[in-house]
Amino acid sequence: MNFSLFYQLLESHSNHGNAHFLQGVVSELQELGHRVRVFEPDHGWNRKSLLKEHGTDALEQFREKDQNQVRVVYNRQTLDLEKVAAESDVIIVQSNEPWLVNGFGVLHNRLMRGAGPKNSFKLLFHDSHHRSVSDPAWLNRFRLDFYDGILVFGKMLRNVYRKHGWSKYVWIWHEAADIRRFFPRYPSTEYPFGDLVWIGNWGDVERTGELNQFLFHPVQALGLKCHIYGRHYPREILGLLKRQNIEYCGRLPNFHIPKVFANHAVSIQVPRRIYAGTWSGIPAIRPFEALACGIPLITSPWQDNEGLFESGKDFLVARDGDEMRQHLRTILNDPGFALQLAAHGLATIREHHTCSHRVTQLLQIVAAQDISGSDLQESALCTDTLTTAE
């Protein structure tokens, strides 16, 4: 089949958290013999940010890693929606631009209502952002009722769409690990060695208190050698890290993350406040990355409401700073336990949460003879089978 995917820049830019998942989806589709084109806006925030900070060399570096992936840069003036539709069996749109989302929706609806045969392409909207929760009016900009279905990455988000009346064909499509790129590596001298590594952007005030409680204070109390990778760290925070002997290492391309994990004994996850609260039950991409790379993981409070993992077996959960220090001591002082924890998490990823699993689920959705007319209503994509809506 011919897939046309409309996404932000898929290069492994550290400010685009789900880029690695989407890259993995493309690779898996291609491996199965499908033709995939990824359409990227020439004015996208991720492209602008990457070019501003690192120039065109950064784009070339990323693309050398994925030479088989076909990218099409577009803008409103150059994109021919009807041509794309005629050349596609499946179109998946992840965008906040009404002209693009609604343009495909109106075109799809017109073709479906035409006197001739129904158009052959399936049209899906992919929502992996928090705007539908943080800004409910955002959804009112789109004619998603013209789409065959909506892909969301959690039950909570599915319920939001139900409240808006788009409840009939909403599938849960969790993110997953691209194990072609994220897998255990041997330590190397390319990156520094240490006890603990945290990979994440500063994110303004979304988790300042949490980072102090679960990262900065435990590291200082235990005297750990810690490295931090990410972007948007303000000057005062960089000064704080220096005073606490925490080494800030700057931006890290996603495809280098496995190398960094290999040089450390443990990693932690500090979810943004929205993931720990409003979005409780929806994991960020970072736990998938860490577990796929075989590093022991500790997370600050996060409720796995959808049962994707086994707390205590795949990773440890620290309810407060004291428990974080206790868990860190256990992992660093008990290599046997650390190895067991990492092995269980890695096995869970490989058995349930790879991009191959998600592509299998996606193809089951697309394979329905007529999405709009079938009784297929929901796919809980953390399993290997499709299920009907509750």
Side-chain angles (χ1 to χ4, degrees):
M1 289 187 289
N2 294 319
F3 284 78
S4 294
L5 311 180
F6 285 79
Y7 287 109
Q8 281 282 347
L9 190 68
L10 287 200
E11 273 63 49
S12 300
H13 186 27
S14 60
N15 203 39
H16 183 17
N18 64 351
H20 118 231
F21 166 63
L22 300 176
Q23 285 179 320
V25 167
V26 172
S27 296
E28 294 296 337
L29 286 170
Q30 289 179 322
E31 179 69 19
L32 294 172
H34 300 287
R35 177 173 177 262
V36 185
R37 292 182 298 170
V38 179
F39 290 79
E40 302 170 345
D42 64 357
H43 58 284
W45 60 265
N46 207 35
R47 174 182 294 274
K48 287 181 178 178
S49 176
L50 187 60
L51 289 174
K52 179 180 179 180
E53 294 181 19
H54 306 286
T56 57
D57 288 344
L59 284 176
E60 294 303 320
Q61 180 186 22
F62 292 130
R63 289 176 178 173
E64 287 178 1
K65 301 288 183 180
D66 297 294
Q67 294 182 4
N68 294 327
Q69 295 189 1
V70 178
R71 312 291 175 85
V72 180
V73 179
Y74 71 88
N75 57 49
R76 188 170 185 173
Q77 288 68 43
T78 61
L79 185 65
D80 187 335
L81 300 185
E82 293 193 7
K83 185 174 185 295
V84 173
E87 297 172 345
S88 305
D89 298 304
V90 181
I91 297 175
I92 301 178
V93 180
Q94 184 190 65
S95 173
N96 60 1
E97 297 183 287
W99 72 268
L100 179 66
V101 178
N102 296 341
F104 273 122
V106 170
L107 173 61
H108 186 48
N109 183 62
R110 175 166 57 83
L111 293 174
M112 290 291 287
R113 294 166 61 87
K118 292 183 178 180
N119 67 313
S120 59
F121 78 92
K122 302 292 177 64
L123 182 61
L124 300 171
F125 183 74
H126 182 199
D127 187 351
S128 64
H129 201 275
H130 59 71
R131 290 189 188 92
S132 57
V133 178
S134 58
D135 182 15
W138 178 75
L139 282 177
N140 296 329
R141 306 166 67 200
F142 304 128
R143 291 302 308 268
L144 298 183
D145 51 322
F146 289 160
Y147 277 62
D148 291 309
I150 300 166
L151 304 173
V152 299
F153 68 140
K155 289 183 180 179
M156 182 280 304
L157 204 55
R158 179 197 62 188
N159 294 337
V160 170
Y161 278 88
R162 285 181 169 176
K163 289 180 180 178
H164 279 76
W166 297 319
S167 60
K168 195 174 183 183
Y169 303 106
V170 180
W171 289 274
I172 298 173
W173 203 38
H174 285 295
E175 294 180 330
D178 177 10
I179 61 174
R180 295 171 182 271
R181 299 172 177 85
F182 288 78
F183 56 86
R185 309 289 179 91
Y186 290 107
S188 73
T189 57
E190 186 174 353
Y191 285 96
F193 289 80
D195 300 309
L196 168 65
V197 61
W198 185 67
I199 300 171
N201 299 323
W202 179 250
D204 299 322
V205 296
E206 290 182 337
R207 52 185 167 195
T208 304
E210 291 86 344
L211 286 173
N212 275 305
Q213 181 181 14
F214 293 100
L215 177 59
F216 302 154
H217 293 165
V219 165
Q220 187 177 36
L222 297 177
L224 302 183
K225 185 172 180 58
C226 174
H227 297 104
I228 290 180
Y229 292 85
R231 302 171 68 247
H232 305 311
Y233 283 75
R235 183 175 302 174
E236 61 270 20
I237 297 300
L238 294 179
L240 171 66
L241 296 180
K242 187 174 183 179
R243 290 192 298 272
Q244 295 186 349
N245 293 318
I246 298 175
E247 186 174 350
Y248 172 66
C249 302
R251 167 185 165 272
L252 179 69
N254 269 9
F255 60 83
H256 285 177
I257 287 176
K259 299 177 182 180
V260 170
F261 280 146
N263 286 2
H264 294 81
V266 62
S267 182
I268 70 170
Q269 164 69 4
V270 183
R272 294 179 187 274
R273 207 161 293 157
I274 193 169
Y275 285 98
T278 307
W279 276 21
S280 179
I282 298 179
I285 192 63
R286 300 306 180 195
F288 292 105
E289 293 175 340
L291 297 179
C293 291
I295 187 172
L297 177 68
I298 309 172
T299 178
S300 61
W302 172 71
Q303 295 296 321
D304 183 10
N305 297 333
E306 300 187 36
L308 301 179
F309 303 102
E310 290 186 79
S311 174
K313 293 185 177 181
D314 293 320
F315 52 75
L316 302 179
V317 178
R319 291 167 294 183
D320 53 37
D322 289 338
E323 198 164 41
M324 175 61 78
R325 289 192 290 273
Q326 178 183 337
H327 287 335
L328 286 170
R329 286 193 194 97
T330 299
I331 288 177
L332 293 171
N333 296 328
D334 189 342
F337 174 78
L339 182 61
Q340 181 181 12
L341 184 70
H344 199 287
L346 177 60
T348 296
I349 291 293
R350 291 181 172 177
E351 292 172 10
H352 301 290
H353 303 302
T354 70
C355 290
S356 177
H357 288 98
R358 302 305 188 254
V359 165
T360 296
Q361 302 280 338
L362 177 63
L363 293 177
Q364 286 179 296
I365 293 174
V366 172
Q369 184 175 5
D370 181 356
I371 291 179
S372 299
S374 73
D375 60 0
L376 183 62
Q377 302 217 354
E378 174 191 347
S379 175
L381 294 188
C382 57
T383 65
D384 293 331
T385 58
L386 293 174
T387 60
T388 56
E390 299 171 355

